[in-house]
Amino acid sequence: MKLRNVLLIVMASAVQLAAFAAEGLGDLRQKADALHAEGKNDSALVVAAEALRLAQGEADTTAIVGINSSMGVYLRTQGKLDEALKRYGEAMRLCTTEAFKRNADEEARQEAAVLYLNLATLHVDMQHKKEAAYYARLSADWGAKCADKGLKAQLFAQDGLIFMMCGDNAGAGRMLSEAYGLAMDLGQAQAALSSAAYMVAVADRTGDREAEAMWRARCGQLEGKVKDTMSLVAYYQILCSVEMNHGRWQASLALFDKILSLDGVEGMPFVVYDCYNNMHEAWAHLGEWRKAYDCLGKAVELKDSLFEKDKAESLRDLTVKYQVKEKELALARSEAKLLRTRMYMAVAALVVLVCAVLVSLYVYSQRRKAREREAEFARLKADTDRRLTQRYIDGLEAERERLAKELHDGVCNDLYTVELLMERPVTGVEDGEDGMPSAKDLVSSCREQVRRVSHELMPPEFSYADVGMVLADYVERVGGASGCSVSFASVPGDADWTGVPDGVALEMYRITQEAVANAVKHSGASHVDVTLSRDGDAITLTITDDGEPGKSRGGGIGRRTMRQRAEAVGGSLAVERKDGKTVVQFIIHNS
């Protein structure tokens, strides 16, 4: 029977691997995380192993780090600590190389931050506080280098919680404050409330009453905006712990009543048990023995339903406990306090683990969205190029027909007349005196016609639109396709750009294409402004972006090309860094 089961598992695995071959690396990682979230860790490991094989085949170091980190979480959930440590060790081996640190992009920085957060969580579970704080600091350092604010808010919140569990209140305060600020910037009330609540606990630990009052006020402002029951439970439990530590029993009872009145809390027996178990201690301190006895009785009933053992003995102990002297009641309170402390530690560890998984899922989700945006941008760019190419070809065909007719009807006929004049016998009559046009006049006419045709050889876009309209159309298309905010302004707004020579207009268009492409593709810019302005006979084209020039690749060639274009039409071009922005400015005098 056992051999049959083994064969069935092998066959199922073979079928799964055949199906995985048709899926991409990103899809496999998402599927593994989804299986882990459903508690199917064996299946998650099978899928992750196939994803790791693909990543190794593609030599994708960043993906290898992330997959090993995720597999460590799956194995740790199964209790396979030794295997989990091997996966974490392999991920760390890659993360600590100079090549990884030097070439780390946004995706690599996120993977490293999540890896060290997972390691910090593992050491917290094992009560290795020094090691947990060390890895939390590494996670925070990598997180600070990430550009994604949502990811940073989650990372800093979890790093702060780990620092607090390790006794580093200063580090916890820094991380939680920054997480709160990021969450507020993103409008994430739930995450902001969680960070603010833990800041209340940090301020209480350090004895900073002014800071505690400030964070309590912020929590009060956010409380009404949060509807998630689990978030509100965690918030009230933190405040309860602070109140009970200071012996403010009435305040703690009011908070426990809030927890018990939340929608859906009845489906959280551990939370309800914790409330009654602590409420009995508060009532006992207030001398309300009957209420204390009733609360502890409810706690015991819940404990019996959860753990299903020693029910009768527990009830007998409770009866004796509240019939004897105050000394026995004090002993019961001490035991309850120890149990509450253990419960808080277990809940905190669980929250850190769940949040670490959520951070991983968020990273993969953002990465997939980024790939989809890149693919969409490529499709739109291809469509735009095809449309412009077709328009260009159509314009060329029309221009060819017009030029052919112009050359045939004008230049060819005039040249033929010149030929006839040259073959005419010498009569002593000067050219033009016999009523026929002179050869000189005909040659001059041919030259004028050829000059006019050469000046008309411009791209078809400029045959029906001025430079302002062409630039506005280009900016609108690039902004919609790239996801970057690109704007165009004409100064003054009613300026007439039809007087700009076609040659100058074409070079202005090409300079704008080069500058905007550098900003969007290479500098990581989120906003680009294109401004076309006139001051007297001076025309100025300015392209400003908020990207980082250090990220630009091939920027030297692009700038040299733009300067050559500017000089070719008698203009000048300058590139400078001003107020954290890159400014490209082309100036020409249109006299």
Side-chain angles (χ1 to χ4, degrees):
M1 187 65 179
K2 292 183 179 179
L3 178 60
R4 180 175 178 275
N5 289 339
V6 171
L7 291 174
L8 288 174
I9 293 172
V10 171
M11 291 173 64
S13 299
V15 172
Q16 285 181 329
L17 291 176
F20 294 160
E23 297 186 45
L25 179 59
D27 294 332
L28 289 175
R29 296 188 66 180
Q30 287 190 336
K31 180 177 289 185
D33 286 332
L35 290 168
H36 170 65
E38 294 172 5
K40 301 176 182 177
N41 289 297
D42 287 328
S43 300
L45 285 167
V46 172
V47 177
E50 178 61 13
L52 182 61
R53 186 186 67 78
L54 287 178
Q56 290 170 338
E58 297 172 2
D60 189 344
T61 303
T62 299
I64 294 172
V65 170
I67 296 169
N68 275 298
S69 177
S70 297
M71 293 178 77
V73 174
Y74 308 157
L75 291 164
R76 181 158 57 88
T77 305
Q78 290 182 318
K80 300 177 180 178
L81 187 58
D82 290 338
E83 294 181 45
L85 289 173
K86 290 180 181 179
R87 292 295 176 185
Y88 287 140
E90 178 61 20
M92 284 185 63
R93 183 184 66 79
L94 296 172
C95 273
T96 52
T97 62
E98 286 299 321
F100 183 92
K101 295 177 181 178
R102 183 174 57 254
N103 301 318
D105 55 7
E106 175 68 9
E107 182 179 344
R109 291 192 289 268
Q110 292 179 7
E111 295 286 13
V114 173
L115 167 65
Y116 289 123
L117 176 60
N118 289 337
L119 284 165
T121 305
L122 173 62
H123 283 286
V124 163
D125 289 343
M126 300 171 66
Q127 295 299 307
H128 299 161
K129 294 184 178 181
K130 182 178 179 181
E131 292 78 5
Y134 169 76
Y135 287 116
R137 280 190 290 272
L138 289 177
S139 174
D141 291 341
W142 279 101
K145 300 175 183 177
C146 297
D148 190 323
K149 285 188 176 181
L151 173 70
K152 290 171 72 171
Q154 296 184 56
L155 280 172
F156 290 159
Q158 298 312 307
D159 291 334
L161 184 55
I162 290 172
F163 282 133
M164 188 168 68
M165 296 172 70
C166 295
D168 184 357
N169 295 319
R174 287 193 302 273
M175 290 293 97
L176 292 168
S177 297
E178 192 158 357
Y180 169 85
L182 290 169
M184 291 296 291
D185 289 343
L186 296 170
Q188 297 175 352
Q190 183 175 318
L193 177 63
S194 177
S195 297
Y198 282 116
M199 280 303 299
V200 172
V202 171
D204 177 69
R205 285 186 177 186
T206 58
D208 190 340
R209 300 306 168 207
E210 183 178 348
E212 181 181 351
M214 178 189 71
W215 287 108
R216 281 179 179 268
R218 290 179 177 178
C219 289
Q221 294 170 357
L222 292 168
E223 181 179 350
K225 300 178 182 180
V226 177
K227 304 302 180 185
D228 180 68
T229 299
M230 197 61 208
S231 298
L232 291 172
V233 166
Y235 162 57
Y236 291 136
Q237 283 182 330
I238 292 169
L239 295 185
C240 285
S241 176
V242 172
E243 300 297 348
M244 294 188 73
N245 286 339
H246 291 282
R248 296 191 284 262
W249 310 112
Q250 289 288 3
S252 66
L253 288 169
L255 290 167
F256 284 125
D257 287 338
K258 283 189 175 183
I259 295 175
L260 295 174
S261 65
L262 291 173
D263 291 336
V265 77
E266 62 276 0
M268 305 176 183
F270 280 100
V271 173
V272 178
Y273 163 75
D274 181 70
C275 287
Y276 283 122
N277 194 42
N278 286 284
M279 287 172 72
H280 101 273
E281 182 179 349
W283 284 120
H285 275 285
L286 293 172
E288 297 285 347
W289 308 110
R290 171 46 55 185
K291 291 181 179 180
Y293 181 83
D294 291 340
C295 288
L296 194 54
K298 292 177 181 179
V300 171
E301 288 178 8
L302 284 168
K303 180 181 178 182
D304 290 341
S305 65
L306 291 171
F307 302 105
E308 295 183 355
K309 62 181 180 180
D310 300 326
K311 292 183 179 180
E313 182 178 353
S314 296
L315 287 173
R316 284 194 298 270
D317 289 342
L318 283 173
T319 303
V320 173
K321 186 180 299 180
Y322 282 94
Q323 289 177 347
V324 296
K325 300 177 182 180
E326 187 176 352
K327 182 178 178 180
E328 292 174 306
L329 184 58
L331 178 60
R333 291 198 301 269
S334 177
E335 292 175 348
K337 187 173 182 180
L338 178 60
L339 182 60
R340 186 182 75 249
T341 301
R342 291 176 178 173
M343 182 68 71
Y344 273 97
M345 291 185 65
V347 170
L350 179 61
V351 169
V352 171
L353 177 60
V354 171
C355 290
V357 174
L358 291 176
V359 169
S360 299
L361 291 173
Y362 178 86
V363 170
Y364 302 144
S365 174
Q366 291 299 104
R367 189 179 304 132
R368 182 169 186 175
K369 289 180 181 178
R371 287 197 298 268
E372 291 174 353
R373 285 197 299 269
E374 290 175 2
E376 182 181 4
F377 175 72
R379 288 195 300 271
L380 289 173
K381 185 176 182 301
D383 291 341
T384 301
D385 290 344
R386 283 195 295 272
R387 180 167 59 83
L388 289 177
T389 300
Q390 186 60 47
R391 235 166 57 189
Y392 186 75
I393 291 173
D394 292 343
L396 285 179
E397 290 298 322
E399 189 69 5
R400 285 183 59 189
E401 292 180 7
R402 189 185 68 78
L403 291 176
K405 185 176 180 180
E406 184 84 15
L407 293 172
H408 179 271
D409 295 345
V411 177
C412 288
N413 289 337
D414 289 343
L415 290 175
Y416 179 65
T417 303
V418 171
E419 181 182 354
L420 291 176
L421 289 173
M422 294 176 67
E423 292 177 353
R424 187 175 62 178
V426 178
T427 60
V429 179
E430 294 292 334
D431 286 348
E433 292 182 356
D434 56 358
M436 294 289 289
S438 66
K440 179 180 179 181
D441 292 339
L442 290 173
V443 170
S444 177
S445 175
C446 289
R447 182 171 56 81
E448 282 298 316
Q449 293 180 59
V450 171
R451 186 185 66 80
R452 187 178 68 255
V453 168
S454 68
H455 278 251
E456 292 173 353
L457 292 176
M458 292 292 293
E461 288 95 331
F462 291 96
S463 65
Y464 58 84
D466 59 44
V467 66
M469 297 167 62
V470 172
L471 290 180
D473 178 69
Y474 169 73
V475 164
E476 180 180 357
R477 286 185 284 105
V478 169
S482 66
C484 175
S485 174
V486 186
S487 64
F488 173 77
S490 175
V491 180
D494 57 351
D496 182 11
W497 302 110
T498 56
V500 178
D502 288 344
V504 174
L506 178 61
E507 297 306 335
M508 293 169 72
Y509 177 59
R510 297 304 185 201
I511 289 171
T512 302
Q513 283 183 311
E514 181 69 29
V516 172
N518 283 343
V520 172
K521 295 180 180 179
H522 305 310
S523 297
S526 62
H527 187 79
V528 182
D529 290 319
V530 179
T531 305
L532 184 61
S533 61
R534 182 194 298 274
D535 185 7
D537 67 341
I539 297 175
T540 303
L541 172 65
T542 306
I543 302 98
T544 305
D545 70 82
D546 60 359
E548 298 180 24
K551 293 183 177 180
S552 179
R553 293 168 292 183
I557 298 175
R559 292 181 181 179
R560 185 164 61 251
T561 301
M562 289 190 290
R563 285 195 174 92
Q564 290 172 352
R565 289 186 179 278
E567 293 169 358
V569 293
S572 62
L573 185 133
V575 181
E576 61 179 339
R577 189 75 178 166
K578 183 186 297 183
D579 297 331
K581 297 182 178 181
T582 300
V583 181
V584 178
Q585 191 171 72
F586 164 74
I587 301 176
I588 189 169
H589 291 273
N590 185 32
S591 56

